[in-house]
Amino acid sequence: MTRKSAQPIFPLVEVRNPLSLSARERSVATLISYGFDNIRIAQVLGIEYNTVSTHIYKIFSKLGVRNRLELTIAVRANPDIVGPIEPSGRPPNPP
């Protein structure tokens, strides 16, 4: 009996340049990876909704991801993109 090797549930997401994000973009990417929507990200970071949208556009462009799911997979697979993720899986406490 031969065993099939386990296949990943999600394909790996290749990122262009994981260290190219600004500090604010890393914060936004982290919050997206925890499932925050744009309105909540704006509230937590104390910035305008449109500014959040601009950061997301730049993050997607810099990393070469197409959507929030790809970004979340990339962040979880490449912690260097945003820095350490809370071990509990819960979002960090807002400032």
Side-chain angles (χ1 to χ4, degrees):
M1 181 164 123
T2 60
R3 260 181 122 183
K4 291 184 180 179
S5 62
Q7 297 294 322
I9 294 173
F10 297 108
L12 294 178
V13 175
E14 296 284 333
V15 293
R16 288 189 189 137
N17 187 357
L19 303 178
S20 64
L21 300 183
S22 69
R24 181 63 83 185
E25 290 165 348
R26 287 192 303 274
S27 297
V28 171
T30 299
L31 295 174
I32 289 172
S33 76
Y34 284 113
F36 284 41
D37 63 16
N38 290 13
I39 293 171
R40 184 69 180 126
I41 293 170
Q43 291 170 340
V44 168
L45 298 179
I47 58 178
E48 294 294 324
Y49 177 88
N50 289 337
T51 304
V52 173
S53 298
T54 300
H55 286 310
I56 292 170
Y57 175 80
K58 289 180 179 182
I59 292 165
F60 286 9
S61 295
K62 287 180 179 182
L63 298 181
V65 297
R66 296 172 293 186
N67 55 50
R68 288 172 180 260
L69 177 59
E70 285 188 2
L71 176 60
T72 300
I73 293 168
V75 165
R76 297 300 169 123
N78 303 290
D80 291 343
I81 293 173
V82 296
I85 299 290
E86 293 290 318
S88 66
R90 288 178 289 166
N93 293 327

